[in-house]
Each structure stands twice: as C-alpha cells, then as structure tokens.
Amino acid sequence: MRGWSGPLGMLAIVLAIALAARLGRAMRPYLLATLPLVISILLVNTFLYPGATDRILTLGPVSATWTGLAEALQATARVVAFALSVALLALTTAIDDLLDDLEHRGLGRRTIFVIGSAIRTVPRMIERAGEIVDAQRARGLDTEGSVWRRARGVVPLAGPMVLSALSEVEERTMALEARAFSAPGRRTTLRPLPDRPAERALRWGLFLAAVVLVGLSVSGRFPLP
Amino acid sequence: MTAVARLEGVGFVYPDGTRALAGVALELREGERVGIVGQNGSGKSTLVRQLNGLLRPTEGRVTLFGRDTAGVHVAELARTVGLAFQNPDRQIFAASVRSEVAFGARNLGRRGAELDRAVQAALEAVGLEGEAATNPYDLGYSRRKLLALASILAMETPVVVLDEPTTGQDARGVERIQRIVGSLGETGRTVITISHDMRFVAESFQRVIVMRAGRVILDGPPVTVFAAEHAGALASTFLEAPLAARLGERLGLGTTPSESALLDALAAR
Ligand SMILES: Nc1ncnc2c1ncn2[C@@H]1O[C@H](COP(=O)(O)OP(=O)(O)OP(=O)(O)O)[C@@H](O)[C@H]1O
Ligand SMILES: [Mg+2]
C-alpha cells in the first residue's frame, strides 16, 4: 500500500482549482471517460488481490477482501486525480498559446505540429463521427436496434471516417506548404503572449517544489506518497 | 392538398444551451417544392433534422402524415423522409457507385428487381448511369455530391430534403438539380431544399421560407417573399432578392423573381 495522501491531496488541489474556475460541469465527460478503467480496477483489485485474506464476502470461486478494496479505492483515486489534472490542463490552456510558446522556447516546428494536430484532431474527429452517424441513419441505417442489427453498420460508419481522414492529409499538406511550413529559418510571432511576473514566479515555484519533492523522496527522507 | 409534415410550436435547444429554433409552425403539403433560406446559423439545418428525427424538438411536436414522430426510430422515419447532407464525403463508403446508391433503399427493405429499378432511376436522374461500376472516390466532388443525392432519390421517400445541393455545382449541375426538383414535385413528392443561391430558389420553388435566428420570418411564394416590400426583412438575415427580381423592381415591372417572369414582364411592356 502506498498511502492516501498523494492522490487525495492531488484531488483536493485539482477540485479546488476547478471550482474556482467554474469548470465543475465541463470536467464531467473526462470523469466519465475513466469509468471503464475505474470499474475494472475496482473489480480486479477487490476480488483478485494476491495474498489478501481479510474476506468481506465470497462469490463462488473468488472472494472480496478489505485489503483489495482499499487498494482498489487508492488506485481509483490516483486515476481520477490524473484524469482531472489532464482535464484541467485541457480546459484552461489555449492550445494555440501553448504551442506558440513552445515554439518560442525552441521546440522544433515539426514536433509542435505533431503535438498540435494530435490535440486538435480529437474534437474534429468527434464532430465528423457525429455527422457520419447522422448521414447513415438518415439513409435508414439502424443504430437503435439490436446489437446484431447495429453490427451491420460498422463498414458504413468506419468507411467515411477513414477515407475522409486520409483525403484530409493531402489537403492539409498542401495548405501547410502554401503557408511556408517548411521554410527555413526561425519564425517570429506577431501575437505576444501575456506573461505576468506573478505567473512566471508561480511557474518557477512549482517547478522548484517538484524538484525538491522528488529529491527528498529519492533520498528517502520523505517517501513519495 | 394533404399535409405531409406539420411542425407545431417547434423549439430546439442544443445540449450546450444554444437555442437554434423557436416557435416554428409550418405545414408542408404533398407535391410542394419548398426552399429554405437564411443567413449562416439561422437554424435551417437544425429545422430539417427535426423532420427525420435526427434531432427531436425540445418544445412542440412534429407530425408526418398525421403521426407524431416522437419515439419513432430514425431508421423508421427514413421511410418517409430522405435527407441528403451537405457533405457527400460524410456518407460515401461503398466500393462502387451502384452499391452506394443502393445502400439506403436496401436498408428500407427493397430487394431484387425493385431495388435495381430504383437504383437505375436514381442514377439516370443525376446522370451517373454510365458510372455505376466506378469507385465513388474516382469521381470529382461535384459528382460525388450528385451521387449522394442519387442515394437519397433511390429511397423513393414521399419527402425529400436537400441541404445545399447546389454548392460546388457548375451551371449544368445546377440545371440538373433543378430538373430533379421539378420532377420530384410532379410525381407528388414534397421537396424541401436549403440553399444560399437565391436564383436557384426563385426559379425552382413554389414556396420560400426565410429564417432568422431560429424563427421563420417570411413564408410565401417567391413573388411575395422577393417583393420590394420585404427587402428589409431579407436584408435583416443578410439575403438579397435574386437579380431578376431586383432588375424588375428597378424597371418598374413589379416583382419578377424568376428570369422567365422578368422576360414576360418585359415582353408585355
Ligand atoms: N451541434 C451543435 N451544438 C451546438 N450548437 C449548434 C450545433 N449545431 C449548430 N449549432 C448552432 O445552432 C444554430 C443553428 O445552426 P444551423 O446549423 O441549423 O444553421 P444553418 O442555418 O444551417 O447555417 P448554415 O447556413 O451555416 O448551414 C447556430 O447558432 C449554430 O451555431
Ligand atoms: Mg446548415
């Protein structure tokens, strides 16, 4: 057992920030996304924790244990804390600003493009998937019937998804070239990013705190929770 | 004429809180050709999606042939309302033009000779009968758009809805779509078309519905909607009457929404 203070402390910080930023509602989908993982963590740990003997109840060949349950809840807290901090970053950071800033700090243009398009593709893909589902349903594809009937919709739904993603690559390449993506030399930005001294100090403070924390824990003086 | 579709006090709010429709009351009749116009974001696409259940009214109700659509599956409503989307690439998946066109009709249960006939007729209507075996992605964008249209025509639904069918079409393509709209109307089917092309709307439709901010602000024949007295209302949703109407107005010929009407008025003078 690794302890509760880490994940719970993290959760408390993230939730406090989310509430202060009024992002409670917006974080719900991220929380939902962890659900499959959380459920499997709970089941596997509670019922199959190796070596645990303090039974709660027995269901056929497996039994739930208190040790397993505690471990499961801790792991859940960790997953949720992680998911919510990612959510917080996603919901509070303007991706364009982040990427501009990374470029200014000397990260390669190609690397930034890869990061940027990976982040930006997701919502676009979700939107496109919605349009495709609508278009096929409008042509009588049954997406509300039995599982068997729905299984027949895989090709009509996946087909346009893949094909349009592929055809988009070419368009994107041309659009990028037309805007001098591969031009040599360092680029400058017209749009300065506001970076107040307080923010800068906070960033450095957090960075130093992280270094100190890791140092203390590696040296064994303060075991990382 | 019987009411094919009726919208009663229909309002719609997207899950994110955006209100897209408010208090829309409409009756669409058999064989009627209806054009829907309005600025970007005025709610046209949202409105037509209420007809086949892709979106359900958050207020009011929609009936098709007198039957409430609430609780009826989209796959079932597709028997009555065929909806062709703006972007053909969001639907094309089949390896040949023929099987793409057959997809919808097959979903509605057509098989064998009946299916072949429907597919052939749809291909001929859009002029793709020579490309039945072609891979859809070997066709250019404008012909893929006609292909998507054919796949809706082949479903032979009593109501056909087209979302911006003329974008990307050259003069011949537009003419072809005008012919299709005309012949659908002649066979008693109701055609509803969203368009930003006022000339196309004035030439091909008996009824024009003008939308602004989720409401219907004008509803009538082109000769009324494009009359000078409504120029202000049209401008309020960033529209302008077609050239023929404006010319007729300036020549003092009254309202001449279509080119033939303008020519007739000129000849009469
Ligand atoms: N999925 C969605 N979620 C939230 N709001 C939406 C969604 N789709 C459309 N809207 C909003 O609903 C309103 C009506 O949109 P709609 O697409 O019906 O307009 P439109 O008249 O078809 O416009 P266009 O001419 O650009 O196609 C707009 O304000 C739009 O931003
Ligand atoms: Mg639209």
Side-chain angles (χ1 to χ4, degrees):
Chain A
M1 293 250 276
R2 274 169 291 179
W4 290 95
S5 49
L8 289 187
M10 197 66 205
L11 266 180
I13 295 172
V14 170
L15 288 179
I17 298 176
L19 287 182
R22 297 180 190 285
L23 286 173
R25 246 169 186 285
M27 292 178 78
R28 269 207 313 221
Y30 292 84
L31 210 53
L32 278 180
T34 64
L35 212 58
L37 186 59
V38 164
I39 290 174
S40 63
I41 287 177
L42 282 173
L43 288 178
V44 169
N45 279 295
T46 313
F47 284 97
L48 302 172
Y49 199 72
T53 51
D54 45 354
R55 287 204 185 142
I56 310 172
L57 70 136
T58 304
L59 288 176
V62 291
S63 33
T65 60
W66 289 111
T67 321
L69 182 62
E71 189 64 33
L73 290 176
Q74 263 186 31
T76 300
R78 246 175 242 122
V79 167
V80 171
F82 177 73
L84 291 188
S85 13
V86 171
L88 205 54
L89 175 76
L91 294 171
T92 55
T93 311
I95 298 300
D96 290 336
D97 288 354
L98 178 68
L99 297 178
D100 273 0
D101 195 56
L102 285 176
E103 180 165 353
H104 258 249
R105 287 164 203 271
L107 199 64
R109 194 176 301 166
R110 274 158 216 284
T111 320
I112 288 169
F113 178 72
V114 170
I115 300 174
S117 52
I119 297 175
R120 268 187 290 242
T121 307
V122 175
R124 281 166 44 87
M125 267 173 46
I126 293 172
E127 194 184 310
R128 191 184 310 152
E131 284 175 27
I132 293 170
V133 172
D134 279 0
Q136 308 303 36
R137 288 173 79 198
R139 294 198 295 167
L141 182 74
D142 194 349
T143 54
E144 292 161 306
S146 67
V147 174
W148 162 239
R149 304 198 61 177
R150 275 186 281 173
R152 292 191 305 192
V154 171
V155 173
L157 295 178
M161 197 74 199
V162 175
L163 292 173
S164 54
L166 288 180
S167 68
E168 210 166 81
V169 171
E170 191 186 349
E171 275 171 38
R172 238 175 215 254
T173 316
M174 289 197 284
L176 284 171
E177 282 314 319
R179 288 182 288 168
F181 178 72
S182 52
R186 201 179 146 80
R187 294 190 295 185
T188 54
T189 17
L190 198 55
R191 186 171 55 117
L193 276 182
D195 192 18
R196 282 172 294 165
E199 283 180 46
R200 198 173 311 194
L202 186 64
R203 266 206 316 275
W204 275 107
L206 285 173
F207 178 67
L208 285 178
V211 168
V212 169
L213 209 58
V214 171
L216 282 177
S217 108
V218 168
S219 67
R221 246 173 288 213
F222 179 73
L224 208 55
Chain B
M1 277 189 283
T2 34
V4 169
R6 182 177 282 133
L7 285 82
E8 296 164 34
V10 168
F12 184 82
V13 180
Y14 278 99
D16 69 355
T18 312
R19 174 167 283 283
L21 294 177
V24 175
L26 283 176
E27 195 179 287
L28 304 167
R29 288 171 289 268
E30 194 179 301
E32 204 171 28
R33 285 170 279 134
V34 185
I36 304 183
V37 299
Q39 74 182 95
N40 294 123
S42 55
K44 307 180 295 293
S45 299
T46 309
L47 177 67
V48 298
R49 279 167 176 70
Q50 312 288 324
L51 290 173
N52 71 342
L54 282 177
L55 297 174
R56 309 285 180 166
T58 47
E59 297 132 33
R61 62 183 203 135
V62 177
T63 56
L64 292 177
F65 292 104
R67 177 168 167 234
D68 197 330
T69 59
V72 185
H73 284 187
V74 177
E76 187 58 35
L77 294 173
R79 294 181 184 287
T80 310
V81 182
L83 170 58
F85 283 78
Q86 226 164 314
N87 186 346
D89 298 345
R90 297 287 180 266
Q91 67 162 64
I92 294 175
F93 70 96
S96 75
V97 166
R98 180 185 287 111
S99 48
E100 181 68 37
V101 172
F103 177 71
R106 191 184 286 279
N107 282 333
L108 299 187
R110 304 217 209 301
R111 294 289 185 275
E114 196 196 3
L115 179 66
D116 290 343
R117 184 199 47 75
V119 169
Q120 189 59 28
L123 285 174
E124 280 167 14
V126 301
L128 285 175
E129 65 273 24
E131 308 283 354
T134 310
N135 184 311
Y137 280 92
D138 288 338
L139 301 174
Y141 180 83
S142 62
R143 295 218 287 170
R144 287 208 297 283
K145 201 150 162 132
L146 290 173
L147 165 62
L149 171 56
S151 81
I152 300 302
L153 294 179
M155 292 162 68
E156 302 187 326
T157 50
V159 182
V160 176
V161 185
L162 312 175
D163 199 341
E164 304 201 15
T166 55
T167 43
Q169 300 292 340
D170 59 15
R172 263 180 49 209
V174 174
E175 230 168 75
R176 192 174 277 287
I177 291 166
Q178 279 178 320
R179 270 208 305 280
I180 294 170
V181 169
S183 68
L184 283 172
E186 276 161 25
T187 55
R189 291 151 81 187
T190 307
V191 191
I192 301 155
T193 303
I194 295 176
S195 183
H196 288 283
D197 180 348
M198 292 307 126
R199 177 174 171 271
F200 168 64
V201 170
E203 299 283 340
S204 298
F205 297 89
Q206 309 158 310
R207 178 176 172 193
V208 181
I209 291 174
V210 183
M211 297 197 61
R212 182 183 63 207
R215 290 177 185 277
V216 173
I217 57 165
L218 288 173
D219 180 355
V223 71
T224 313
V225 168
F226 293 126
E229 57 185 302
H230 292 311
L234 287 179
S236 74
T237 186
F238 298 96
L239 297 176
E240 195 176 39
L243 184 62
R246 284 177 285 139
L247 273 179
E249 211 64 61
R250 290 182 62 175
L251 293 170
L253 296 170
T255 310
T256 56
S258 67
E259 279 155 34
S260 56
L262 176 62
L263 288 175
D264 288 349
L266 277 172
R269 191 159 82 173

